[in-house]
Amino acid sequence: MTFSPVQRRNVMRDEDKSKEQLIQELAHLRQRVEALETRQQEVQPEPELSLLTDGTLQLQLEERTAALVEANDQLIAEIVKHTRAEQALRSAKDQLEAVLDAVPGVVSWISRDLRYLGVNRQLAQMFEAEPENFVGKDIGFLRASHDFQDFMKSFFESNADDATCEVLTRVHGELRDFLIVAQKYDGDRAAFTVGIDITERRQAENDLRAARDQLQAILEAVPGMVSWISCDLRYLGVNRHLAQTYNLPPEAFVDQEIGFLQTSDLFQGFLEEFFASEVTERCEEITAKVYGQTHSYLIAAQKYDEGRAAFTVGIDITERHRAVQALQEAEAKYRDLFENAVEGIYQISPNGTYLNANPALARIYGYESAQSLINNLSCGDRLLYVDIQQRQQFLEILHQQGRVIGFEQEIYRQDGSIVWISENARLAWDNEENHLLYYEGTVEDITERKRAEAALQKANEELESRVEERTAALRQSNERLMLEIGERQRIEAALRKSEAELRALFEAMTDTIAVFDAQGRYVKVVSTNSEVLYSPKEDRTGKSVYEVLPPTQASIFVSHIQRALNRGQTVNLEYNLEVEDPSNGEMTEVWFAATVSPLPDNCVIWVARNITERRRVLNALQEAEEKYRSIFENAAEGIYQTTPQGQYVSANPALIQMYGYDSLEDLKANVQDVSQDLYVNSNRRLEFISRLENEGSIVEFELQVHCKDGSIIWTSENARTVRDDKGRILYYEGTVQEITKRKLAEEALRVEQEKSESLLLNVLPRKIAEQLKQDQTSIAERFEEATIMFADLVDFTTVSAQMPPSKLVAILNEIFSTFDQLALAYQLEKIKTIGDAYMVAGGLPMPMEDHAVAIAEMALEMQWAIDEFNREHNLGFQLRIGINTGPVVAGVIGIRKFAYDLWGDTVNVASRMESQGQAGNIQVTQTTYEMLRERYILEPRGLLDIKGRGEMMTYWLCDRRGEV
């Protein structure tokens, strides 16, 4: 049925058809046209019908063509629009990725079920992963932050569209602070988060808070005087030091004029000029009165608050001025020491030129003068040093450690002779310590010492016996000293008894009491006991002293009466009189001690006591004291007395000289507390006191002490506690003997013993070494179960042929030293190294339960270690490792060059596991496999023909399981 064009458009419009439909219809029309043409050629139709058919088809063809063109244009337009949209979307996506990569924080998209939808590159790189590795995983899969999980969970449960929170996150084992900002999107089904690392900001805030506290503490602790002053010259505040200087509280200064203390007009004038000027800071020296004494101060002032106030710091430089003068004197003194020192002293520039040298250095090097040495010698001169390599070693040590002490080497003197020197040196840097200024040091000629070392070696052999002899002699000397101390104690007891007798004598004596007027006339005389040798009678009342006493004594009486009346204070005096002894009538000298006190009515009371016997006793006491003092001053050992608080009461010259002080006053001034200022270990003082309190005395208490020059010596003390009658401690007293030489000898012996012990333990296990010390015969022991490992560097012989021997040994030493550390860490026993092979055992000589596990761990660590070594040195070594477990015999045989070794089939099979293994792999036997399979990943290699054993099942040890 044929439809008209109008009817066809009513059915379906061409513009509504797709491009494919239009193309199909066009092709169908062309087929119809071709069919009609074919039929027309076969049968000639009527002209009218042919024209009608051709016209209809032509019309349909034109309509279809027009519709197809129109649809094609629309399709092209849509394709262009779609292409532009895709390009815009791709550009926006690239821009977004660039922005996210440029964001300084970490960015993530998280779904409501707390899974990652995506992350930016910074977040992925932080945990050394790729961004796609995060997609779809739970946000807690990294186990880095429980805070972040809790925050996101509560955020999705809340109604808020955005939220902020600080969380702690562990990154590479370190806790860091992050500020997290989150915002929901997609109908609250997802959230976008940005995290900023604020660890440094938090640290800065903490540092700022600490800095404020430190500033406050510094202002309080500053030894100078700090003040805040307004431009109208009034105090805004002061620090505690300034307030305490003038015995006032800090608040007493606030709002006071700066001159209210009237201590320094210069300070006020300085601040007036400072505030009147345009400068913001200024420094000046001024003087001020403090408690009547003039002090010099260095005042530094700085304005703040736009010049309306200033902050001042005053440093007392009075002592500095004195110190400058002392420094000048010291400089002259040290210059004299420099010029006259026995040791050579030098300064050398970094390029080897001598900057300074003293005459002693010139003498050691064979030059006429220091200037001649400076002009003609260079530190880098190869003609100076006998062994230039040793000099290079000296410089390397100096630059590595900053200083060298006691470096010994040989040099050529100017005349060609060779001498030994001992050199001490250090690096002198500028204030920033980034620029080397020069080397400085000292040189000592030790040629004679070197020659004496051979003799000293022989002397050392005799040293031990001499030390024992000296110890015995010292013990005898100490016993004699203890006897002397006992004698001194007996003398002290006698003196105390004499003092008690004297006190009783004084109490039995009768005082003479008289009242005199200002002219020296007796107003009243009172005698309390008629048995006194001399006592004025009452009939002398009204008489002048000039009438009763000899002129000289009378003048003494009158002068002291006048002094007491003029001063209004009691006056003390001693005087003597020639009086008649009632027993025999002879004239004798009697001494009196008198106190003259003023009384009303211009009179004085004179109280006199007969002190003749006391003076006799004091003279005897003085003689005894001089005897004791002679023993004290001339003793060979140090003798001392110290308070319980550690202060010296007395010390004899031997002790003062032993500690390097000039006098007792010098010792007391520098040693205020022996535990802090003298003892090297202050806790020894507590032990010293504890033993004295418990035992009452100490014998041969050894300790180290600081001398005045900073050196340290060893001493041996004998001490006891001295108490009063009530048992309270008065002081500690004792003797001190220097034992530094003995201790040095003992230390040298101990060091040599330790070296021998260390060398022995480096060769043999401790248990075996102890057995060998007790019995030099062969040692053998069977172990029912042990694990043996052999490791070999594959193709090491080929590689070693291409390198010098020194480098070869260095490489082997570095590799095997690493293996030694692993053996020590896993408590395994290194047996030996054979060329480039390494042998180690577990479970012997001390049994251990997990010896196979320890060997497996070490084998895996050795593989890792050789990979690290290759990466660092750009080499390609591989290890071939074999392991076996079973019974072995271990021990030491022979009588020279002992070596701890293993024997048995287990050892042979372990060696075959290595030799018939593969490079880079660890081969184990069936026995070892059974002990490791629960904890390690092992793969079967299969049956292997083992030389001397036949076929054996072997396995490859690959890795650990789980958390092993």
mmCIF file of all heavy atoms in Angstrom, residues 789-792 858-860 862-863 879-883 910 913-914 917-918 920-924 956:
data_model
loop_
_atom_site.group_PDB
_atom_site.id
_atom_site.type_symbol
_atom_site.label_atom_id
_atom_site.label_comp_id
_atom_site.label_asym_id
_atom_site.label_seq_id
_atom_site.Cartn_x
_atom_site.Cartn_y
_atom_site.Cartn_z
ATOM 1 N N MET A 789 74.452 -24.473 61.276
ATOM 2 C CA MET A 789 74.228 -23.720 60.033
ATOM 3 C C MET A 789 75.573 -23.394 59.401
ATOM 4 O O MET A 789 76.503 -22.954 60.069
ATOM 5 C CB MET A 789 73.469 -22.421 60.316
ATOM 6 C CG MET A 789 73.294 -21.553 59.067
ATOM 7 S SD MET A 789 72.276 -20.085 59.356
ATOM 8 C CE MET A 789 73.357 -19.134 60.407
ATOM 9 N N PHE A 790 75.640 -23.644 58.078
ATOM 10 C CA PHE A 790 76.770 -23.220 57.261
ATOM 11 C C PHE A 790 76.270 -22.188 56.264
ATOM 12 O O PHE A 790 75.190 -22.355 55.677
ATOM 13 C CB PHE A 790 77.391 -24.400 56.508
ATOM 14 C CG PHE A 790 78.232 -25.297 57.368
ATOM 15 C CD1 PHE A 790 77.661 -26.319 58.107
ATOM 16 C CD2 PHE A 790 79.610 -25.107 57.432
ATOM 17 C CE1 PHE A 790 78.437 -27.148 58.887
ATOM 18 C CE2 PHE A 790 80.393 -25.948 58.215
ATOM 19 C CZ PHE A 790 79.809 -26.960 58.955
ATOM 20 N N ALA A 791 77.052 -21.106 56.076
ATOM 21 C CA ALA A 791 76.703 -20.093 55.078
ATOM 22 C C ALA A 791 77.942 -19.788 54.254
ATOM 23 O O ALA A 791 79.049 -19.678 54.800
ATOM 24 C CB ALA A 791 76.185 -18.833 55.765
ATOM 25 N N ASP A 792 77.762 -19.644 52.933
ATOM 26 C CA ASP A 792 78.891 -19.420 52.041
ATOM 27 C C ASP A 792 78.552 -18.300 51.073
ATOM 28 O O ASP A 792 77.426 -18.201 50.581
ATOM 29 C CB ASP A 792 79.209 -20.701 51.259
ATOM 30 C CG ASP A 792 80.446 -20.524 50.401
ATOM 31 O OD1 ASP A 792 81.551 -20.452 50.956
ATOM 32 O OD2 ASP A 792 80.290 -20.443 49.165
ATOM 33 N N MET A 858 68.239 -16.183 62.436
ATOM 34 C CA MET A 858 69.522 -15.620 62.023
ATOM 35 C C MET A 858 69.746 -15.812 60.525
ATOM 36 O O MET A 858 70.274 -14.928 59.845
ATOM 37 C CB MET A 858 70.656 -16.260 62.830
ATOM 38 C CG MET A 858 72.021 -15.717 62.425
ATOM 39 S SD MET A 858 73.359 -16.313 63.451
ATOM 40 C CE MET A 858 74.765 -15.572 62.597
ATOM 41 N N ALA A 859 69.337 -16.967 59.979
ATOM 42 C CA ALA A 859 69.519 -17.209 58.547
ATOM 43 C C ALA A 859 68.748 -16.192 57.717
ATOM 44 O O ALA A 859 69.269 -15.640 56.737
ATOM 45 C CB ALA A 859 69.072 -18.634 58.213
ATOM 46 N N LEU A 860 67.478 -15.936 58.109
ATOM 47 C CA LEU A 860 66.686 -14.938 57.377
ATOM 48 C C LEU A 860 67.296 -13.548 57.510
ATOM 49 O O LEU A 860 67.330 -12.772 56.546
ATOM 50 C CB LEU A 860 65.249 -14.942 57.911
ATOM 51 C CG LEU A 860 64.444 -16.226 57.635
ATOM 52 C CD1 LEU A 860 63.122 -16.188 58.371
ATOM 53 C CD2 LEU A 860 64.204 -16.398 56.130
ATOM 54 N N MET A 862 70.452 -12.892 57.973
ATOM 55 C CA MET A 862 71.678 -12.850 57.178
ATOM 56 C C MET A 862 71.373 -12.560 55.713
ATOM 57 O O MET A 862 72.102 -11.801 55.046
ATOM 58 C CB MET A 862 72.422 -14.186 57.311
ATOM 59 C CG MET A 862 73.045 -14.396 58.702
ATOM 60 S SD MET A 862 73.667 -16.080 58.953
ATOM 61 C CE MET A 862 75.042 -16.130 57.800
ATOM 62 N N GLN A 863 70.273 -13.156 55.192
ATOM 63 C CA GLN A 863 69.879 -12.871 53.816
ATOM 64 C C GLN A 863 69.540 -11.396 53.637
ATOM 65 O O GLN A 863 69.919 -10.757 52.665
ATOM 66 C CB GLN A 863 68.665 -13.757 53.424
ATOM 67 C CG GLN A 863 68.956 -15.253 53.380
ATOM 68 C CD GLN A 863 69.746 -15.661 52.132
ATOM 69 O OE1 GLN A 863 70.503 -14.876 51.591
ATOM 70 N NE2 GLN A 863 69.582 -16.901 51.695
ATOM 71 N N LEU A 879 74.162 -15.371 49.307
ATOM 72 C CA LEU A 879 74.479 -16.375 50.320
ATOM 73 C C LEU A 879 73.828 -17.703 49.977
ATOM 74 O O LEU A 879 72.681 -17.751 49.503
ATOM 75 C CB LEU A 879 73.958 -15.927 51.703
ATOM 76 C CG LEU A 879 74.814 -14.947 52.496
ATOM 77 C CD1 LEU A 879 74.122 -14.618 53.800
ATOM 78 C CD2 LEU A 879 76.201 -15.525 52.769
ATOM 79 N N ARG A 880 74.541 -18.774 50.234
ATOM 80 C CA ARG A 880 74.006 -20.136 50.137
ATOM 81 C C ARG A 880 74.099 -20.721 51.547
ATOM 82 O O ARG A 880 75.184 -20.839 52.115
ATOM 83 C CB ARG A 880 74.811 -20.956 49.132
ATOM 84 C CG ARG A 880 74.228 -22.345 48.852
ATOM 85 C CD ARG A 880 74.978 -23.018 47.706
ATOM 86 N NE ARG A 880 76.393 -23.175 48.024
ATOM 87 C CZ ARG A 880 77.375 -22.808 47.205
ATOM 88 N NH1 ARG A 880 77.118 -22.275 46.019
ATOM 89 N NH2 ARG A 880 78.645 -22.968 47.552
ATOM 90 N N ILE A 881 72.936 -21.064 52.108
ATOM 91 C CA ILE A 881 72.875 -21.448 53.521
ATOM 92 C C ILE A 881 72.293 -22.851 53.639
ATOM 93 O O ILE A 881 71.313 -23.194 52.963
ATOM 94 C CB ILE A 881 72.020 -20.450 54.323
ATOM 95 C CG1 ILE A 881 72.651 -19.051 54.267
ATOM 96 C CG2 ILE A 881 71.863 -20.883 55.767
ATOM 97 C CD1 ILE A 881 71.833 -17.980 54.948
ATOM 98 N N GLY A 882 72.901 -23.650 54.531
ATOM 99 C CA GLY A 882 72.397 -24.984 54.828
ATOM 100 C C GLY A 882 72.251 -25.185 56.327
ATOM 101 O O GLY A 882 73.104 -24.742 57.097
ATOM 102 N N ILE A 883 71.167 -25.877 56.761
ATOM 103 C CA ILE A 883 70.867 -26.055 58.184
ATOM 104 C C ILE A 883 70.489 -27.517 58.423
ATOM 105 O O ILE A 883 69.745 -28.119 57.642
ATOM 106 C CB ILE A 883 69.723 -25.121 58.639
ATOM 107 C CG1 ILE A 883 70.077 -23.656 58.372
ATOM 108 C CG2 ILE A 883 69.419 -25.327 60.115
ATOM 109 C CD1 ILE A 883 68.933 -22.691 58.642
ATOM 110 N N ALA A 910 74.846 -30.800 57.571
ATOM 111 C CA ALA A 910 74.613 -29.354 57.486
ATOM 112 C C ALA A 910 75.528 -28.741 56.437
ATOM 113 O O ALA A 910 75.117 -27.862 55.666
ATOM 114 C CB ALA A 910 74.844 -28.697 58.848
ATOM 115 N N MET A 913 74.098 -29.535 53.096
ATOM 116 C CA MET A 913 72.921 -28.691 52.803
ATOM 117 C C MET A 913 73.353 -27.354 52.187
ATOM 118 O O MET A 913 72.699 -26.812 51.305
ATOM 119 C CB MET A 913 72.123 -28.424 54.095
ATOM 120 C CG MET A 913 71.373 -29.618 54.660
ATOM 121 S SD MET A 913 70.049 -30.230 53.582
ATOM 122 C CE MET A 913 70.881 -31.648 52.836
ATOM 123 N N GLU A 914 74.499 -26.864 52.653
ATOM 124 C CA GLU A 914 74.981 -25.595 52.101
ATOM 125 C C GLU A 914 75.610 -25.802 50.732
ATOM 126 O O GLU A 914 75.293 -25.118 49.771
ATOM 127 C CB GLU A 914 75.982 -24.975 53.079
ATOM 128 C CG GLU A 914 76.641 -23.691 52.581
ATOM 129 C CD GLU A 914 77.866 -23.918 51.756
ATOM 130 O OE1 GLU A 914 78.689 -24.806 52.090
ATOM 131 O OE2 GLU A 914 77.996 -23.229 50.703
ATOM 132 N N GLY A 917 73.150 -26.578 48.028
ATOM 133 C CA GLY A 917 72.008 -25.665 47.961
ATOM 134 C C GLY A 917 72.097 -24.763 46.748
ATOM 135 O O GLY A 917 72.875 -25.000 45.820
ATOM 136 N N GLN A 918 71.293 -23.707 46.773
ATOM 137 C CA GLN A 918 71.258 -22.757 45.658
ATOM 138 C C GLN A 918 71.522 -21.362 46.199
ATOM 139 O O GLN A 918 71.147 -21.036 47.333
ATOM 140 C CB GLN A 918 69.882 -22.791 44.955
ATOM 141 C CG GLN A 918 69.595 -24.102 44.253
ATOM 142 C CD GLN A 918 68.236 -24.092 43.576
ATOM 143 O OE1 GLN A 918 67.512 -23.095 43.644
ATOM 144 N NE2 GLN A 918 67.883 -25.195 42.928
ATOM 145 N N GLY A 920 71.234 -17.694 47.236
ATOM 146 C CA GLY A 920 70.102 -16.881 47.675
ATOM 147 C C GLY A 920 69.054 -17.661 48.426
ATOM 148 O O GLY A 920 68.017 -17.092 48.796
ATOM 149 N N ASN A 921 69.238 -18.998 48.668
ATOM 150 C CA ASN A 921 68.239 -19.827 49.339
ATOM 151 C C ASN A 921 68.809 -20.444 50.605
ATOM 152 O O ASN A 921 70.033 -20.538 50.800
ATOM 153 C CB ASN A 921 67.755 -20.942 48.411
ATOM 154 C CG ASN A 921 66.881 -20.395 47.283
ATOM 155 O OD1 ASN A 921 66.123 -19.448 47.498
ATOM 156 N ND2 ASN A 921 67.005 -20.956 46.095
ATOM 157 N N ILE A 922 67.875 -20.891 51.470
ATOM 158 C CA ILE A 922 68.215 -21.549 52.735
ATOM 159 C C ILE A 922 67.660 -22.966 52.672
ATOM 160 O O ILE A 922 66.438 -23.162 52.618
ATOM 161 C CB ILE A 922 67.623 -20.788 53.928
ATOM 162 C CG1 ILE A 922 68.065 -19.318 53.916
ATOM 163 C CG2 ILE A 922 68.007 -21.460 55.241
ATOM 164 C CD1 ILE A 922 67.322 -18.455 54.909
ATOM 165 N N GLN A 923 68.535 -23.988 52.660
ATOM 166 C CA GLN A 923 68.112 -25.383 52.557
ATOM 167 C C GLN A 923 68.203 -26.054 53.925
ATOM 168 O O GLN A 923 69.218 -25.921 54.619
ATOM 169 C CB GLN A 923 68.988 -26.135 51.544
ATOM 170 C CG GLN A 923 68.503 -27.565 51.291
ATOM 171 C CD GLN A 923 69.208 -28.195 50.115
ATOM 172 O OE1 GLN A 923 68.584 -28.791 49.254
ATOM 173 N NE2 GLN A 923 70.526 -28.064 50.070
ATOM 174 N N VAL A 924 67.116 -26.741 54.337
ATOM 175 C CA VAL A 924 67.075 -27.414 55.636
ATOM 176 C C VAL A 924 66.711 -28.878 55.429
ATOM 177 O O VAL A 924 66.095 -29.267 54.425
ATOM 178 C CB VAL A 924 66.058 -26.740 56.582
ATOM 179 C CG1 VAL A 924 66.378 -25.271 56.757
ATOM 180 C CG2 VAL A 924 64.629 -26.917 56.079
ATOM 181 N N TRP A 956 63.093 -25.763 51.368
ATOM 182 C CA TRP A 956 63.569 -24.372 51.315
ATOM 183 C C TRP A 956 62.881 -23.590 52.442
ATOM 184 O O TRP A 956 61.662 -23.614 52.568
ATOM 185 C CB TRP A 956 63.236 -23.693 49.986
ATOM 186 C CG TRP A 956 63.855 -24.291 48.763
ATOM 187 C CD1 TRP A 956 63.219 -24.772 47.689
ATOM 188 C CD2 TRP A 956 65.250 -24.423 48.505
ATOM 189 N NE1 TRP A 956 64.103 -25.236 46.745
ATOM 190 C CE2 TRP A 956 65.389 -25.025 47.233
ATOM 191 C CE3 TRP A 956 66.405 -24.124 49.204
ATOM 192 C CZ2 TRP A 956 66.620 -25.300 46.660
ATOM 193 C CZ3 TRP A 956 67.637 -24.400 48.630
ATOM 194 C CH2 TRP A 956 67.734 -24.992 47.369
#
